[in-house]
Amino acid sequence: MDISALVAQNYAASKTATAPDGSSGNAFIGAAQDFMATLRESENTAMAAMTSGTDPHALVQALAQTELAVQTVVTVRDKVVEAYQEILRMPV
């Protein structure tokens, strides 16, 4: 069996396995939209609490959700930067 044909066949098989599909791209877009929606809701709740004196419990809950969302985004960002730096350290 020709080794170059075998290599080409394995490369083609692995290329489809690592190719991004629409679902993963949509997952990142959906996560970003959820994050922005959480921030907007918290801002609206905070403005309502300051102007019309709405429920303070709702304000605390919205701020806790915002804090959790920001911590999650920062953790993901740190992991992406760490992975990028690891790639840069790879010998060529």
Side-chain angles (χ1 to χ4, degrees), residues 61-81:
Q61 185 177 8
L63 291 176
Q65 287 176 343
T66 302
E67 182 180 5
L68 181 63
V70 169
Q71 287 176 352
T72 303
V73 168
V74 168
T75 302
V76 169
R77 182 210 56 192
D78 290 346
K79 291 292 183 181
V80 168
V81 169

PDB file of all heavy atoms in Angstrom, residues 61-81:
ATOM      1  N   GLN A  61     -29.898  39.961  43.716  1.00  0.00           N
ATOM      2  CA  GLN A  61     -29.879  38.766  42.874  1.00  0.00           C
ATOM      3  C   GLN A  61     -29.309  39.085  41.489  1.00  0.00           C
ATOM      4  O   GLN A  61     -28.507  38.324  40.944  1.00  0.00           O
ATOM      5  CB  GLN A  61     -31.283  38.202  42.743  1.00  0.00           C
ATOM      6  CG  GLN A  61     -31.343  36.897  41.987  1.00  0.00           C
ATOM      7  CD  GLN A  61     -32.752  36.334  41.933  1.00  0.00           C
ATOM      8  OE1 GLN A  61     -33.704  36.981  42.326  1.00  0.00           O
ATOM      9  NE2 GLN A  61     -32.866  35.118  41.440  1.00  0.00           N
ATOM     10  N   ALA A  62     -29.684  40.227  40.920  1.00  0.00           N
ATOM     11  CA  ALA A  62     -29.170  40.613  39.605  1.00  0.00           C
ATOM     12  C   ALA A  62     -27.670  40.878  39.664  1.00  0.00           C
ATOM     13  O   ALA A  62     -26.929  40.501  38.754  1.00  0.00           O
ATOM     14  CB  ALA A  62     -29.905  41.850  39.100  1.00  0.00           C
ATOM     15  N   LEU A  63     -27.222  41.513  40.734  1.00  0.00           N
ATOM     16  CA  LEU A  63     -25.784  41.771  40.872  1.00  0.00           C
ATOM     17  C   LEU A  63     -25.001  40.479  41.055  1.00  0.00           C
ATOM     18  O   LEU A  63     -23.893  40.341  40.529  1.00  0.00           O
ATOM     19  CB  LEU A  63     -25.529  42.723  42.044  1.00  0.00           C
ATOM     20  CG  LEU A  63     -26.024  44.156  41.837  1.00  0.00           C
ATOM     21  CD1 LEU A  63     -25.807  44.973  43.112  1.00  0.00           C
ATOM     22  CD2 LEU A  63     -25.348  44.806  40.657  1.00  0.00           C
ATOM     23  N   ALA A  64     -25.561  39.513  41.758  1.00  0.00           N
ATOM     24  CA  ALA A  64     -24.889  38.220  41.930  1.00  0.00           C
ATOM     25  C   ALA A  64     -24.802  37.475  40.597  1.00  0.00           C
ATOM     26  O   ALA A  64     -23.778  36.865  40.286  1.00  0.00           O
ATOM     27  CB  ALA A  64     -25.632  37.376  42.957  1.00  0.00           C
ATOM     28  N   GLN A  65     -25.862  37.541  39.794  1.00  0.00           N
ATOM     29  CA  GLN A  65     -25.823  36.908  38.476  1.00  0.00           C
ATOM     30  C   GLN A  65     -24.785  37.567  37.584  1.00  0.00           C
ATOM     31  O   GLN A  65     -24.068  36.894  36.844  1.00  0.00           O
ATOM     32  CB  GLN A  65     -27.199  36.981  37.812  1.00  0.00           C
ATOM     33  CG  GLN A  65     -28.212  36.057  38.413  1.00  0.00           C
ATOM     34  CD  GLN A  65     -29.584  36.235  37.786  1.00  0.00           C
ATOM     35  OE1 GLN A  65     -29.860  37.225  37.133  1.00  0.00           O
ATOM     36  NE2 GLN A  65     -30.458  35.260  38.011  1.00  0.00           N
ATOM     37  N   THR A  66     -24.692  38.889  37.658  1.00  0.00           N
ATOM     38  CA  THR A  66     -23.702  39.608  36.859  1.00  0.00           C
ATOM     39  C   THR A  66     -22.291  39.242  37.292  1.00  0.00           C
ATOM     40  O   THR A  66     -21.420  39.019  36.449  1.00  0.00           O
ATOM     41  CB  THR A  66     -23.915  41.122  36.989  1.00  0.00           C
ATOM     42  OG1 THR A  66     -25.236  41.438  36.573  1.00  0.00           O
ATOM     43  CG2 THR A  66     -22.913  41.894  36.163  1.00  0.00           C
ATOM     44  N   GLU A  67     -22.081  39.162  38.587  1.00  0.00           N
ATOM     45  CA  GLU A  67     -20.749  38.796  39.087  1.00  0.00           C
ATOM     46  C   GLU A  67     -20.350  37.400  38.616  1.00  0.00           C
ATOM     47  O   GLU A  67     -19.221  37.183  38.173  1.00  0.00           O
ATOM     48  CB  GLU A  67     -20.731  38.862  40.612  1.00  0.00           C
ATOM     49  CG  GLU A  67     -19.371  38.549  41.213  1.00  0.00           C
ATOM     50  CD  GLU A  67     -19.371  38.609  42.730  1.00  0.00           C
ATOM     51  OE1 GLU A  67     -20.442  38.792  43.334  1.00  0.00           O
ATOM     52  OE2 GLU A  67     -18.285  38.461  43.307  1.00  0.00           O
ATOM     53  N   LEU A  68     -21.275  36.463  38.660  1.00  0.00           N
ATOM     54  CA  LEU A  68     -20.998  35.106  38.206  1.00  0.00           C
ATOM     55  C   LEU A  68     -20.703  35.075  36.708  1.00  0.00           C
ATOM     56  O   LEU A  68     -19.770  34.395  36.267  1.00  0.00           O
ATOM     57  CB  LEU A  68     -22.178  34.186  38.526  1.00  0.00           C
ATOM     58  CG  LEU A  68     -22.029  32.730  38.123  1.00  0.00           C
ATOM     59  CD1 LEU A  68     -20.875  32.082  38.882  1.00  0.00           C
ATOM     60  CD2 LEU A  68     -23.322  31.983  38.390  1.00  0.00           C
ATOM     61  N   ALA A  69     -21.464  35.843  35.928  1.00  0.00           N
ATOM     62  CA  ALA A  69     -21.243  35.887  34.484  1.00  0.00           C
ATOM     63  C   ALA A  69     -19.876  36.480  34.156  1.00  0.00           C
ATOM     64  O   ALA A  69     -19.156  35.960  33.296  1.00  0.00           O
ATOM     65  CB  ALA A  69     -22.343  36.704  33.810  1.00  0.00           C
ATOM     66  N   VAL A  70     -19.496  37.548  34.843  1.00  0.00           N
ATOM     67  CA  VAL A  70     -18.195  38.176  34.585  1.00  0.00           C
ATOM     68  C   VAL A  70     -17.059  37.235  34.992  1.00  0.00           C
ATOM     69  O   VAL A  70     -16.063  37.103  34.273  1.00  0.00           O
ATOM     70  CB  VAL A  70     -18.096  39.540  35.307  1.00  0.00           C
ATOM     71  CG1 VAL A  70     -16.680  40.080  35.276  1.00  0.00           C
ATOM     72  CG2 VAL A  70     -19.055  40.538  34.682  1.00  0.00           C
ATOM     73  N   GLN A  71     -17.198  36.562  36.126  1.00  0.00           N
ATOM     74  CA  GLN A  71     -16.171  35.610  36.548  1.00  0.00           C
ATOM     75  C   GLN A  71     -16.027  34.474  35.536  1.00  0.00           C
ATOM     76  O   GLN A  71     -14.904  34.031  35.250  1.00  0.00           O
ATOM     77  CB  GLN A  71     -16.507  35.038  37.922  1.00  0.00           C
ATOM     78  CG  GLN A  71     -16.294  36.013  39.050  1.00  0.00           C
ATOM     79  CD  GLN A  71     -16.742  35.441  40.394  1.00  0.00           C
ATOM     80  OE1 GLN A  71     -17.350  34.379  40.458  1.00  0.00           O
ATOM     81  NE2 GLN A  71     -16.453  36.163  41.461  1.00  0.00           N
ATOM     82  N   THR A  72     -17.119  34.014  34.985  1.00  0.00           N
ATOM     83  CA  THR A  72     -17.072  32.951  33.986  1.00  0.00           C
ATOM     84  C   THR A  72     -16.356  33.414  32.730  1.00  0.00           C
ATOM     85  O   THR A  72     -15.501  32.709  32.182  1.00  0.00           O
ATOM     86  CB  THR A  72     -18.497  32.479  33.634  1.00  0.00           C
ATOM     87  OG1 THR A  72     -19.137  32.052  34.832  1.00  0.00           O
ATOM     88  CG2 THR A  72     -18.472  31.359  32.624  1.00  0.00           C
ATOM     89  N   VAL A  73     -16.688  34.611  32.266  1.00  0.00           N
ATOM     90  CA  VAL A  73     -16.051  35.145  31.061  1.00  0.00           C
ATOM     91  C   VAL A  73     -14.560  35.354  31.283  1.00  0.00           C
ATOM     92  O   VAL A  73     -13.738  35.046  30.413  1.00  0.00           O
ATOM     93  CB  VAL A  73     -16.742  36.459  30.621  1.00  0.00           C
ATOM     94  CG1 VAL A  73     -15.940  37.179  29.563  1.00  0.00           C
ATOM     95  CG2 VAL A  73     -18.133  36.155  30.115  1.00  0.00           C
ATOM     96  N   VAL A  74     -14.174  35.841  32.442  1.00  0.00           N
ATOM     97  CA  VAL A  74     -12.759  36.049  32.743  1.00  0.00           C
ATOM     98  C   VAL A  74     -12.020  34.715  32.794  1.00  0.00           C
ATOM     99  O   VAL A  74     -10.899  34.593  32.287  1.00  0.00           O
ATOM    100  CB  VAL A  74     -12.591  36.837  34.063  1.00  0.00           C
ATOM    101  CG1 VAL A  74     -11.158  36.816  34.558  1.00  0.00           C
ATOM    102  CG2 VAL A  74     -13.062  38.275  33.875  1.00  0.00           C
ATOM    103  N   THR A  75     -12.636  33.697  33.357  1.00  0.00           N
ATOM    104  CA  THR A  75     -12.011  32.372  33.411  1.00  0.00           C
ATOM    105  C   THR A  75     -11.814  31.802  32.011  1.00  0.00           C
ATOM    106  O   THR A  75     -10.744  31.268  31.696  1.00  0.00           O
ATOM    107  CB  THR A  75     -12.860  31.416  34.257  1.00  0.00           C
ATOM    108  OG1 THR A  75     -13.001  31.964  35.566  1.00  0.00           O
ATOM    109  CG2 THR A  75     -12.232  30.047  34.339  1.00  0.00           C
ATOM    110  N   VAL A  76     -12.824  31.932  31.162  1.00  0.00           N
ATOM    111  CA  VAL A  76     -12.700  31.444  29.793  1.00  0.00           C
ATOM    112  C   VAL A  76     -11.610  32.215  29.049  1.00  0.00           C
ATOM    113  O   VAL A  76     -10.797  31.626  28.334  1.00  0.00           O
ATOM    114  CB  VAL A  76     -14.054  31.534  29.057  1.00  0.00           C
ATOM    115  CG1 VAL A  76     -13.897  31.282  27.567  1.00  0.00           C
ATOM    116  CG2 VAL A  76     -15.044  30.560  29.660  1.00  0.00           C
ATOM    117  N   ARG A  77     -11.590  33.530  29.228  1.00  0.00           N
ATOM    118  CA  ARG A  77     -10.553  34.347  28.577  1.00  0.00           C
ATOM    119  C   ARG A  77      -9.159  33.917  29.033  1.00  0.00           C
ATOM    120  O   ARG A  77      -8.243  33.777  28.219  1.00  0.00           O
ATOM    121  CB  ARG A  77     -10.764  35.828  28.900  1.00  0.00           C
ATOM    122  CG  ARG A  77      -9.735  36.710  28.205  1.00  0.00           C
ATOM    123  CD  ARG A  77      -9.408  37.964  28.945  1.00  0.00           C
ATOM    124  NE  ARG A  77      -8.955  37.664  30.296  1.00  0.00           N
ATOM    125  CZ  ARG A  77      -8.818  38.583  31.234  1.00  0.00           C
ATOM    126  NH1 ARG A  77      -9.136  39.821  30.997  1.00  0.00           N
ATOM    127  NH2 ARG A  77      -8.379  38.252  32.418  1.00  0.00           N
ATOM    128  N   ASP A  78      -8.997  33.692  30.329  1.00  0.00           N
ATOM    129  CA  ASP A  78      -7.693  33.272  30.842  1.00  0.00           C
ATOM    130  C   ASP A  78      -7.269  31.927  30.250  1.00  0.00           C
ATOM    131  O   ASP A  78      -6.095  31.737  29.917  1.00  0.00           O
ATOM    132  CB  ASP A  78      -7.728  33.186  32.361  1.00  0.00           C
ATOM    133  CG  ASP A  78      -7.823  34.550  33.025  1.00  0.00           C
ATOM    134  OD1 ASP A  78      -7.602  35.573  32.340  1.00  0.00           O
ATOM    135  OD2 ASP A  78      -8.140  34.596  34.239  1.00  0.00           O
ATOM    136  N   LYS A  79      -8.210  31.006  30.104  1.00  0.00           N
ATOM    137  CA  LYS A  79      -7.887  29.705  29.517  1.00  0.00           C
ATOM    138  C   LYS A  79      -7.496  29.842  28.048  1.00  0.00           C
ATOM    139  O   LYS A  79      -6.588  29.158  27.576  1.00  0.00           O
ATOM    140  CB  LYS A  79      -9.074  28.740  29.653  1.00  0.00           C
ATOM    141  CG  LYS A  79      -9.344  28.317  31.063  1.00  0.00           C
ATOM    142  CD  LYS A  79      -8.230  27.459  31.598  1.00  0.00           C
ATOM    143  CE  LYS A  79      -8.550  26.986  32.986  1.00  0.00           C
ATOM    144  NZ  LYS A  79      -7.486  26.167  33.555  1.00  0.00           N
ATOM    145  N   VAL A  80      -8.178  30.715  27.323  1.00  0.00           N
ATOM    146  CA  VAL A  80      -7.836  30.928  25.916  1.00  0.00           C
ATOM    147  C   VAL A  80      -6.445  31.540  25.793  1.00  0.00           C
ATOM    148  O   VAL A  80      -5.632  31.115  24.956  1.00  0.00           O
ATOM    149  CB  VAL A  80      -8.898  31.814  25.225  1.00  0.00           C
ATOM    150  CG1 VAL A  80      -8.429  32.281  23.863  1.00  0.00           C
ATOM    151  CG2 VAL A  80     -10.210  31.059  25.113  1.00  0.00           C
ATOM    152  N   VAL A  81      -6.138  32.526  26.621  1.00  0.00           N
ATOM    153  CA  VAL A  81      -4.812  33.147  26.586  1.00  0.00           C
ATOM    154  C   VAL A  81      -3.739  32.138  26.968  1.00  0.00           C
ATOM    155  O   VAL A  81      -2.676  32.079  26.352  1.00  0.00           O
ATOM    156  CB  VAL A  81      -4.767  34.383  27.513  1.00  0.00           C
ATOM    157  CG1 VAL A  81      -3.350  34.887  27.716  1.00  0.00           C
ATOM    158  CG2 VAL A  81      -5.648  35.492  26.948  1.00  0.00           C
TER     159      VAL A  81
END
